[in-house]
Amino acid sequence: MHSSKNILVIGALGQIGQDLVAALREKHGADKIIASDIRLPEDTGNGPFVKLDVLDSNQLREAIQSYEIAEVYHLAAILSAKGEQNPQLAWDINMKGLLNVLDLAKVGLFNKLFWPSSIAVFGPNSPKDQTPQYAGTDPTTIYGISKLAGERWCEYYHQKYGVDVRSIRYPGLIGYKGMPGGGTTDYAVDIYHSAVQGMDYSCFLNEASYLPMMYMEDAIRATIELMEADPNRLSIRSSYNLGGISFSPREIFQSIKEHFEGFEISFSPDFRQGIADSWPRSIDDSYARKDWDWNPTYDLKKMTEEMLNHLQEKYKVKVPSN
Ligand code: NAD
Ligand code: AKB
């Protein structure tokens, strides 16, 4: 067992990584959180950073040993839309990356692993509303296929080798710090940036596409709460369903329009529409609620207010009052 509390975040410069690193540094101290990514940060930030390719197992081992890492958050992946443009690359990064990390956990190099799955494990034949934890999974994207396979590997490593791996099937995440990296739910971040910069928005999904979503603050809290949960209470070592808010492009547009009267939207669905159509509209997260007391706190209205406030600050724009 490792007595140190150093934590490695792999894929730390991505949309979730930026928020997660900030939250973990706030909680444990900046020097305890080692951010890592395959690319270098624009801003060196306020804590340690190591350039690391998760596909390079030796590099990974060296970083874990030299920084005396006790916990790993492995976020590096190719997301749903980008994955369809290069399926082989998505499979390699999403699968080989996870297996490299699991293998180092298996030999006891660190104690605890967080790895995110996604609502993308579900497919056209999964129930659309309040999709249950154990619904059928027939993903149609290479991203969803890799997440489903990853879930099975996680449970396998837990059962066979005792690896303490914990996972959440994140819905589409919406935050103001980082831009999304090539997913189907990216529109729900892009739309706020357009509105605050005074631009109308052309949406790549149709106006009625309901998808499960979540404000980043809730997602980061869920992640840390799951990692701190009593292992004896965790009945799922594949990945927990997590529910937040469900809305359509039309509804998020309307919530923004309450603050920006002149904001307009148009709809030009592209290939991402097919992906969205294959995913659930809402998620049943009763296992997460029962096993580790999960409870989301943001609705669409509250999320929109926070997103607009933070982006107004970022772009130094005055939000008009109606
Ligand atoms: P992102 O694309 O924004 O960030 C991924 C990061 O991984 C990038 O900074 C990239 O440079 C890095 N990376 C890519 N290849 C790498 C490699 N070989 N070695 C090291 N780093 C590498 O993704 P995100 O939105 O932050 O997602 C993080 C994780 O959460 C992913 O596993 C994703 O599938 C999962 N997830 C995200 C969402 C969401 O809405 N953002 C929803 C469900 C699940
Ligand atoms: C994507 O759209 O690919 C991600 C996800 C829901 O996994 N945001």
Side-chain angles (χ1 to χ4, degrees), residues 299-315:
D299 60 14
L300 178 56
K301 185 175 182 329
K302 191 169 158 199
M303 178 175 80
T304 291
E305 283 164 9
E306 284 217 10
M307 283 296 288
L308 294 179
N309 282 340
H310 285 291
L311 291 179
Q312 171 199 16
E313 177 58 29
K314 181 181 176 122
Y315 292 113

Side-chain angles (χ1 to χ4, degrees), residues 119 127-131 169-174 185 187-188 192 207-215 218 242-255 276 279-285 289 294 296-301 303-304:
I119 53 163
K128 291 279 174 213
D129 297 304
Q130 289 300 305
T131 308
R169 289 171 175 159
Y170 287 135
L173 301 185
I174 299 156
T185 60
Y187 90 85
Y192 287 109
E207 62 180 305
S209 296
Y210 273 84
L211 286 170
M213 302 279 194
M214 181 173 285
Y215 190 48
D218 267 347
L242 195 74
I245 326 165
S246 281
F247 54 78
S248 65
R250 170 65 64 190
E251 288 174 351
I252 192 173
F253 162 70
Q254 278 159 347
S255 83
W279 287 355
R281 283 189 288 257
S282 62
I283 295 290
D284 173 354
D285 60 5
R289 289 172 187 262
W294 165 242
T297 57
Y298 281 84
D299 60 14
L300 178 56
K301 185 175 182 329
M303 178 175 80
T304 291

Side-chain angles (χ1 to χ4, degrees), residues 10-18 36-39 52-56 74-80 82 93-94 114-120 143 147 168-174 179-182 185-186 216:
I10 303 169
L13 299 181
Q15 190 202 3
I16 300 175
Q18 292 181 44
S36 78
D37 206 287
I38 197 167
R39 55 196 167 100
L52 177 67
D53 180 353
V54 73
L55 297 183
D56 184 336
H74 169 38
L75 305 178
I78 304 288
L79 276 74
S80 59
K82 215 168 146 189
I93 291 183
N94 297 3
F114 177 81
W115 169 81
S117 183
S118 162
I119 53 163
Y143 174 67
K147 288 296 183 186
I168 287 172
R169 289 171 175 159
Y170 287 135
L173 301 185
I174 299 156
M179 293 306 286
T185 60
D186 292 13
M216 189 63 83

Side-chain angles (χ1 to χ4, degrees), residues 57-295:
S57 187
N58 291 330
Q59 219 182 20
L60 186 60
R61 174 189 290 273
E62 256 175 53
I64 290 173
Q65 284 176 327
S66 63
Y67 286 101
E68 299 184 325
I69 297 299
E71 289 180 20
V72 173
Y73 290 74
H74 169 38
L75 305 178
I78 304 288
L79 276 74
S80 59
K82 215 168 146 189
E84 292 310 286
Q85 273 134 28
N86 195 340
Q88 189 60 53
L89 178 74
W91 180 257
D92 287 349
I93 291 183
N94 297 3
M95 279 294 81
K96 286 189 188 154
L98 173 61
L99 286 170
N100 280 347
V101 178
L102 281 170
D103 278 334
L104 295 179
K106 175 184 160 187
V107 296
L109 220 62
F110 61 96
N111 302 331
K112 211 190 276 187
L113 169 62
F114 177 81
W115 169 81
S117 183
S118 162
I119 53 163
V121 296
F122 296 113
N125 294 299
S126 312
K128 291 279 174 213
D129 297 304
Q130 289 300 305
T131 308
Q133 177 71 39
Y134 292 108
T137 40
D138 57 344
T140 56
T141 59
I142 198 68
Y143 174 67
I145 295 169
S146 71
K147 288 296 183 186
L148 184 56
E151 289 188 5
R152 304 321 307 153
W153 278 115
C154 286
E155 188 176 288
Y156 187 86
Y157 270 66
H158 176 72
Q159 286 181 352
K160 297 271 174 186
Y161 311 121
V163 170
D164 188 354
V165 52
R166 302 170 184 214
S167 176
I168 287 172
R169 289 171 175 159
Y170 287 135
L173 301 185
I174 299 156
Y176 58 88
K177 285 204 181 89
M179 293 306 286
T184 304
T185 60
D186 292 13
Y187 90 85
V189 178
D190 299 342
I191 192 170
Y192 287 109
H193 286 262
S194 289
V196 170
Q197 292 178 92
M199 296 184 289
D200 291 340
Y201 184 65
S202 171
C203 185
F204 58 75
L205 296 184
N206 72 38
E207 62 180 305
S209 296
Y210 273 84
L211 286 170
M213 302 279 194
M214 181 173 285
Y215 190 48
M216 189 63 83
E217 193 159 313
D218 267 347
I220 298 298
R221 183 171 55 78
T223 305
I224 293 174
E225 283 177 5
L226 174 60
M227 284 297 269
E228 290 179 346
D230 176 353
N232 299 317
R233 288 185 65 195
L234 301 181
S235 61
I236 292 174
R237 294 303 189 133
S238 51
S239 192
Y240 279 94
N241 270 11
L242 195 74
I245 326 165
S246 281
F247 54 78
S248 65
R250 170 65 64 190
E251 288 174 351
I252 192 173
F253 162 70
Q254 278 159 347
S255 83
I256 295 171
K257 204 168 163 71
E258 281 180 26
H259 302 266
F260 287 85
E261 225 173 30
F263 182 49
E264 292 301 339
I265 190 167
S266 55
F267 300 94
S268 305
D270 65 16
F271 75 99
R272 289 167 280 193
Q273 185 64 50
I275 301 177
D277 288 343
S278 76
W279 287 355
R281 283 189 288 257
S282 62
I283 295 290
D284 173 354
D285 60 5
S286 44
Y287 281 86
R289 289 172 187 262
K290 179 167 66 70
D291 287 4
W292 42 280
D293 309 317
W294 165 242
N295 197 13

